[in-house]
């Protein structure tokens, strides 16, 4: 008799000894049951794949062990857990994955070989986000918040068009710094890694839900692109999760903030930079946002704010010219930028502003109203040949670098020199698309599907503007990338376009 | 193996390798469908990983804790699918239900299915765990959250009931089908 059957019988007799008398029948029953046992063939691929999935989740849990984002600030888990138990936990894991790592962890950079990102192209890029406050405030997604996204297409928007001042002044960059060296012939270009599986992972948790009118099971291969949740209390916040770009933004849920009549603030409302940064720091700390991939915060002063200290513009004979901007204009919010830092290099926007996580602080309420560009800090790096001719680099800087030079008016009344100081090595952020731009590098062809955008951080020399002229002009830095098509002189922006002197003289601007 | 609470996360890979096949088998016995079993097995281990910090070895073994999660996953699956609180697994469904089942399993269970279907879910579960999974009564007791003694008595009564309900013809067929 089979050993297994013997054991089962012994257990049965221990309960009811009278069953021994019917042993023959009982053996048959047990044998019948054993014969009826379905043959289970487990798929070894399934076991391997599930193991990998669990290892990834295990890693997330390990990292989020001591630094958990307080999702309970946004979701009443006691209610949500009942209906969406897996969803809430998955959200915690995924949100935690996006911007949490342990304290003091360095940014994760993986080298993937030389020239792996194909041609680095700056010319012909859109000017989306090219504003002096950084791109965080520029567009709303999901009802109120702003999030930086890649320009829609590499061919959208070409040259800049700016309404010219009504008095013609030429600006000329002049390098006044000392001698500098270019140490390396090959430099690292970085690409931020976006985990495309996050949206699928999250979707797999909720795909079984049937909402009555909509049954998610009927949808094929679903992905969750974004998610927005809001706090329902005074001065509450909303959280916007962008799964595609692996980024978060937190913004004021305006329905729960006081309605104001937007009375102009006074000078006494202006906070020192130190206090503005402290409010921003405190907010980021409160929500346990991992700042290991960012440098210290700095306040970006918007140009309107700066007009407070501007002298009235003058003509060539010292006559007072009509100013365009009001003499005093105090912004409602100040923006603190925490620049992205990779391998000790600070990232900049093409306009010279520092690029990274931005936090807007309301001077009216002394609270944070917006925090955006909170992103994953994992990158791939690839070495590219750098421009090493110093004269060429300085020449490009004196042409305005990546952001371009100003149009030279033939009949200008004045030429103002803008001195540039000794450059530092940093990074400039740009975008790369595959749509309409065939990748030459084999790695790129395989790894990057069409119509996808990727953030690149390209080594660049950052030339500081030593002195800003007393006018509406304002730039902090001139950026000269060491890699890419700009060194061929193919990226020159001209300001303004199509406006004549006669037009200006006939109808001068009338400030209100 | 002895698991310290604070070490659960580190040991999870080992525990997965150790129990994944048993859990899959158990779920398969309750669903009779490969894809469903894979889905629910994934859910079971993901849930276990999420809740690993709440596992308390004083309340039972990790093995039985895992089974409870698997069991509840199956129940939730069928109740959600059929929007019915009385459905716990595929056995509770009538033969005409529109639900996926593997043909092999369906064929093999043909003869005993109607008898096993008549059992209460907890009785059927004990049969599955004892006969098909080969679990001890101690382990079964932890999974179904009853005492060992209760489980033994329940199994004994199930066997007696089957003895009465299964007609002689079934046993004759059974003997005919044997190779000797």
């Amino acid at each position: 008799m089979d050993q297994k059957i013997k054991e089962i019988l012994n257990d049965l007799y221990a309960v009811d000894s009278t069953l021994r008398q019917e042993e023959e029948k009982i053996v048959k029953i047990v044998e019948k049951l054993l014969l009826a046992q379905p043959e289970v063939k487990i798929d070894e691929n399934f076991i391997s794949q599930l193991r990998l999935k669990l290892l990834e989740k295990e890693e997330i849990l390990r990292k989020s062990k001591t630094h958990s984002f307080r999702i309970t600030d946004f979701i009443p888990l006691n209610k949500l857990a009942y209906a969406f138990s897996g969803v809430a936990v998955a959200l915690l894991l995924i949100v935690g994955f996006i911007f949490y790592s342990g304290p003091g962890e360095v940014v994760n950079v993986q080298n993937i070989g030389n020239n792996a990102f194909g041609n680095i192209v700056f010319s012909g890029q859109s000017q989306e986000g090219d504003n002096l406050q950084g791109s965080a405030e520029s567009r709303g997604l999901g009802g109120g918040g702003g999030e930086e996204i890649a320009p829609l297409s590499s061919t959208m928007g070409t040259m800049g068009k700016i309404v010219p001042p009504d008095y013609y002044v030429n600006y000329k960059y002049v390098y006044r710094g000392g001698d500098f060296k270019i140490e390396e012939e090959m430099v690292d270009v970085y690409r931020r890694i976006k985990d495309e599986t996050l949206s699928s992972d999250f979707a797999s948790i909720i795909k079984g839900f049937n909402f009555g009118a909509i049954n998610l099971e009927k949808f094929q291969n679903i992905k969750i692109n974004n998610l927005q949740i809001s706090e329902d209390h005074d001065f509450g916040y909303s959280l916007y999760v962008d799964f595609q770009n692996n980024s978060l933004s937190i913004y004021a849920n305006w329905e729960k903030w006081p309605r104001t009549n937007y009375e102009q603030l006074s000078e006494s409302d202006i906070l020192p930079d130190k206090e503005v940064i402290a409010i921003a720091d405190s907010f980021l700390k409160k929500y346990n946002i991992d700042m290991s991939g960012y440098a210290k915060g700095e306040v970006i002063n918007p140009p309107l704010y700066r007009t407070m200290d501007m002298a009235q513009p003058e003509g060539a004979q010292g006559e007072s010219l009509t100013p365009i901007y009001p003499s005093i204009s105090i912004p409602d919010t100040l923006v603190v930028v925490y620049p992205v830092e990779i391998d000790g290099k600070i990232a900049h926007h093409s306009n010279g502003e520092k690029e990274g996580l931005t936090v807007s602080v309301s001077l009216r309420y002394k609270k944070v109203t917006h925090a955006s560009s909170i992103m994953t800090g994992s990158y791939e790096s690839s070495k590219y040949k750098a421009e090493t001719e110093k004269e060429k680099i300085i020449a490009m800087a004196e042409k305005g670098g990546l952001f371009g030079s100003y149009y030279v008016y033939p009949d200008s009344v004045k030429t103002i020199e803008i001195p540039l100081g000794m450059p530092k090595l940093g990074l400039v952020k740009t975008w790369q698309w595959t749509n309409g731009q065939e990748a030459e590098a084999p790695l790129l062809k395989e790894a990057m599907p069409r119509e996808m955008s990727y953030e690149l951080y390209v080594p660049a020399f950052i030339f500081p503007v030593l002195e800003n002229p007393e006018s509406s002009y304002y730039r902090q830095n001139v950026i000269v990338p060491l890699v890419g098509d700009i060194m061929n002189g193919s990226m020159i922006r001209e300001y303004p376009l199509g406006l004549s002197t006669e037009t200006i003289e006939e109808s001068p601007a009338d400030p209100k | 193996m002895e698991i310290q609470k604070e070490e659960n996360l580190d040991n999870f890979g080992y525990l997965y390798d150790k129990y994944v096949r048993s859990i899959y088998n158990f779920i398969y016995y309750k669903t009779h469908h490969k894809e469903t079993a894979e889905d629910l097995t994934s859910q079971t281990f993901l849930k276990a990983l999420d809740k690993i910090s709440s596992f308390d070895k004083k309340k039972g073994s990790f093995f039985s804790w895992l089974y409870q999660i698997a069991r509840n996953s199956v129940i939730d699956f069928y109740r959600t699918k059929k929007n019915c609180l009385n459905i716990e697994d595929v056995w509770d469904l009538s033969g005409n239900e529109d639900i996926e089942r593997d043909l092999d399993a369906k064929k093999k269970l043909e003869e005993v299915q109607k008898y096993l279907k008549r059992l209460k879910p907890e009785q059927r579960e004990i049969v599955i765990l004892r006969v098909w999974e080969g679990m001890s009564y101690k382990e079964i007791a932890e999974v179904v959250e009853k005492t060992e003694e209760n489980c033994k008595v329940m199994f004994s009564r199930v066997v007696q009931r089957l003895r009465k309900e299964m007609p002689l013809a079934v046993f004759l067929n059974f003997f005919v089908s044997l190779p000797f």
Side-chain angles (χ1 to χ4, degrees):
Chain A
M1 188 190 293
D2 187 80
Q3 183 62 31
K4 194 172 182 181
I5 298 176
K6 267 188 194 169
E7 285 172 10
I8 291 173
L9 288 176
N10 288 338
D11 291 336
L12 286 169
Y13 299 153
V15 173
D16 184 356
S17 57
T18 61
L19 289 173
R20 277 184 198 273
Q21 296 160 16
E22 300 187 66
E23 182 166 302
E24 200 177 325
K25 283 184 185 170
I26 291 172
V27 167
K28 286 168 193 167
I29 290 168
V30 176
E31 283 174 344
K32 190 71 181 168
L33 288 172
L34 285 168
L35 264 179
Q37 181 173 355
E39 193 181 337
V40 184
K41 294 172 193 170
I42 192 164
D43 186 346
E44 292 299 325
N45 275 338
F46 159 71
I47 292 189
S48 305
Q49 281 169 17
L50 180 55
R51 187 190 291 118
L52 277 173
K53 205 171 177 176
L54 289 167
L55 281 173
E56 283 169 13
K57 283 284 191 288
E58 193 184 315
E59 194 56 33
I60 294 168
L61 276 176
R62 210 184 297 279
K63 283 183 178 177
S64 66
K65 234 169 152 180
T66 53
H67 295 278
S68 57
F69 177 67
R70 281 159 44 185
I71 200 72
T72 49
D73 287 349
F74 293 85
I75 302 172
L77 269 182
N78 58 335
K79 292 182 184 174
L80 265 183
Y82 178 76
F84 298 99
S85 54
V87 171
V89 175
L91 178 61
L92 175 63
L93 292 175
I94 290 168
V95 165
F97 173 79
I98 287 177
F99 68 109
Y100 278 111
S101 56
E105 279 194 29
V106 297
V107 172
N108 179 25
V109 179
Q110 308 164 23
N111 186 276
I112 60 169
N114 293 357
N115 301 311
F117 308 137
N119 291 331
I120 309 292
V121 176
F122 291 97
S123 54
Q125 283 191 9
S126 163
Q127 291 182 37
E128 286 281 336
D130 279 359
N131 61 72
L132 289 165
Q133 274 201 346
S135 54
E137 306 287 337
S138 58
R139 59 193 69 77
L141 291 169
E147 187 52 70
E148 183 186 13
I149 56 174
L152 295 174
S153 159
S154 60
T155 57
M156 178 178 152
T158 51
M159 298 303 177
K161 296 181 183 180
I162 291 181
V163 175
D166 56 1
Y167 52 94
Y168 285 107
V169 175
N170 282 335
Y171 297 105
K172 189 174 181 303
Y173 295 107
V174 177
Y175 181 65
R176 297 267 186 252
D179 192 25
F180 63 92
K181 285 181 185 175
I182 298 145
E183 302 285 347
E184 295 164 1
E185 285 189 9
M186 299 292 285
V187 290
D188 282 313
V189 174
Y190 304 91
R191 182 173 72 190
R192 191 169 73 89
I193 297 171
K194 288 192 288 190
D195 186 344
E196 304 290 340
T197 64
L198 287 180
S199 58
S200 304
D201 283 349
F202 190 57
S204 68
I205 301 294
I206 68 166
K207 71 174 181 183
F209 282 107
N210 184 339
F211 293 108
I214 297 174
N215 184 355
L216 290 183
E217 280 187 319
K218 301 297 182 189
F219 288 79
Q220 304 286 325
N221 294 327
I222 59 171
K223 287 184 178 182
I224 308 296
N225 293 330
N226 48 65
L227 177 73
Q228 182 179 320
I229 51 179
S230 298
E231 285 183 309
D232 188 19
H233 62 76
D234 290 342
F235 292 102
Y237 289 97
S238 294
L239 170 71
Y240 178 81
V241 182
D242 183 346
F243 288 105
Q244 286 183 311
N245 286 303
N246 294 183
S247 63
L248 298 178
S249 64
I250 304 170
Y251 51 91
N253 178 9
W254 293 113
E255 289 180 2
K256 292 295 173 183
W257 284 55
R259 292 185 185 277
T260 65
N261 55 12
Y262 294 101
E263 286 175 2
Q264 180 73 6
L265 295 173
S266 63
E267 277 189 66
S268 61
D269 292 311
I270 300 170
L271 295 175
D273 283 4
K274 199 174 162 185
E275 280 187 40
V276 175
I277 293 170
I279 293 171
D281 281 352
S282 174
F283 178 86
L284 295 171
K285 193 177 175 187
K286 179 186 174 189
Y287 291 104
N288 283 336
I289 295 183
D290 180 19
M291 299 300 291
S292 56
Y294 301 98
K296 284 185 182 173
E298 326 175 358
V299 175
I300 302 171
N301 284 349
L304 289 178
Y305 174 59
R306 283 183 167 248
T307 59
M308 285 175 58
D309 296 322
M310 273 176 44
Q312 295 298 317
E314 293 177 356
Q317 277 74 46
E319 75 277 18
S320 180
L321 298 176
T322 309
I324 294 174
Y325 302 109
S327 58
I328 293 177
S329 177
I330 298 165
D332 214 61
T333 59
L334 286 179
V335 179
V336 180
V337 64
Y338 295 81
V340 166
E341 187 174 0
I342 309 171
D343 286 346
K345 294 187 278 288
I346 301 291
H348 292 76
H349 195 275
S350 58
N351 64 11
E353 296 274 344
K354 287 185 180 162
E355 170 69 39
L357 189 159
T358 55
V359 179
S360 301
V361 178
S362 164
L363 293 178
R364 196 178 297 276
Y365 303 115
K366 313 291 187 281
K367 287 177 181 291
V368 169
T369 57
H370 194 179
S372 67
S373 299
I374 304 167
M375 296 188 182
T376 51
S378 293
Y379 301 88
E380 294 166 316
S381 70
S382 179
K383 288 205 182 294
Y384 281 74
K385 194 168 183 312
E387 177 58 60
T388 52
E389 283 185 38
K390 196 174 61 179
E391 290 74 24
K392 207 172 170 183
I393 293 169
I394 292 174
M396 192 52 63
E398 289 181 340
K399 283 182 187 174
L402 191 54
F403 206 67
S405 181
Y406 280 78
Y407 179 74
V408 177
Y409 297 99
D411 303 319
S412 84
V413 292
K414 201 173 178 180
T415 296
I416 296 176
E417 280 193 356
I418 304 170
L420 299 177
M422 177 93 84
K424 282 183 184 174
L425 189 60
L427 299 168
V428 62
K429 181 175 173 178
T430 185
W431 296 90
Q432 192 115 45
W433 296 264
T434 57
N435 188 19
Q437 183 180 308
E438 287 300 316
E440 291 181 7
L443 280 174
L444 196 62
K445 272 183 181 167
E446 283 174 21
M448 292 170 66
R450 293 184 68 79
E451 300 184 358
M452 293 289 290
S453 65
Y454 292 87
E455 292 160 46
L456 294 183
Y457 292 87
V458 180
F461 270 124
I462 317 297
F463 288 83
V465 172
L466 296 177
E467 191 181 328
N468 277 298
E470 290 178 353
S471 66
S472 60
Y473 171 86
Y474 172 73
R475 272 181 81 179
Q476 283 187 341
N477 301 292
V478 167
I479 309 292
V480 178
L482 297 181
V483 176
D485 64 346
I486 184 175
M487 297 312 287
N488 299 325
S490 55
M491 177 65 174
I492 298 173
R493 299 186 190 197
E494 294 186 352
Y495 304 98
L497 294 177
L499 199 65
S500 68
T501 308
E502 289 78 14
T503 306
I504 293 300
E505 284 176 353
E506 283 167 8
S507 54
D510 183 21
K512 299 287 177 191
Chain B
M1 74 181 270
E2 198 67 25
I3 303 166
Q4 300 301 322
K5 219 171 170 187
E6 58 276 11
E7 293 169 2
N8 280 351
L9 204 58
D10 293 330
N11 292 327
F12 199 84
Y14 167 83
L15 294 165
Y16 168 76
D17 288 336
K18 189 173 177 183
Y19 296 120
V20 64
R21 284 171 178 76
S22 299
I23 294 294
Y24 179 87
N25 290 352
F26 172 69
I27 292 175
Y28 188 84
Y29 296 148
K30 291 171 82 59
T31 59
H32 302 167
H33 188 242
K34 177 179 176 283
E35 283 76 20
T36 305
E38 285 179 356
D39 221 9
L40 293 176
T41 303
S42 299
Q43 279 187 37
T44 299
F45 280 96
L46 284 168
K47 280 181 194 172
L49 185 57
D50 291 341
K51 295 180 187 176
I52 196 87
S53 58
S54 67
F55 166 67
D56 186 354
K57 63 184 176 185
K58 289 176 194 169
K59 292 181 181 176
S61 68
F62 182 83
F63 179 61
S64 54
W65 181 70
L66 209 53
Y67 265 84
Q68 280 175 20
I69 296 174
R71 192 159 150 265
N72 292 336
S73 296
V74 172
I75 293 172
D76 290 343
F77 171 74
Y78 281 100
R79 287 183 181 173
T80 305
K81 207 171 176 63
K82 289 294 163 186
N83 198 24
C84 175
L85 293 175
N86 292 329
I87 308 287
E88 286 203 7
D89 53 31
V90 72
W91 297 90
D92 288 331
L93 301 173
S94 68
N96 299 324
E97 295 272 5
D98 176 25
I99 201 115
E100 298 96 340
R101 285 180 68 190
D102 291 341
L103 282 174
D104 289 347
K106 205 171 173 181
K107 203 175 172 189
K108 233 184 169 187
L109 287 161
E110 221 172 328
E111 288 186 55
V112 297
Q113 177 149 314
K114 58 182 174 183
Y115 304 106
L116 292 178
K117 277 172 85 71
R118 286 182 202 152
L119 299 175
K120 290 179 189 173
E122 55 188 12
Q123 292 175 321
R124 188 167 53 242
E125 199 153 74
I126 289 173
V127 170
I128 289 174
L129 293 173
R130 185 71 190 97
V131 179
W132 291 350
E133 288 274 67
M135 285 170 82
S136 69
Y137 283 108
K138 184 175 183 292
E139 289 165 334
I140 294 171
E142 285 175 11
V143 171
V144 301
E145 293 178 297
K146 293 187 186 305
T147 63
E148 250 187 89
E149 203 52 44
N150 273 357
C151 293
K152 287 179 183 174
V153 168
M154 280 176 75
F155 184 69
S156 165
R157 287 182 184 162
V158 163
V159 170
Q160 288 180 51
R161 182 173 169 176
L162 288 175
R163 182 177 58 78
K164 286 176 190 169
E165 289 188 358
M166 276 184 174
L168 187 62
V170 170
F171 292 107
L172 288 175
N173 283 340
F174 169 70
F175 281 117
V176 166
S177 67
L178 284 176
F180 51 81

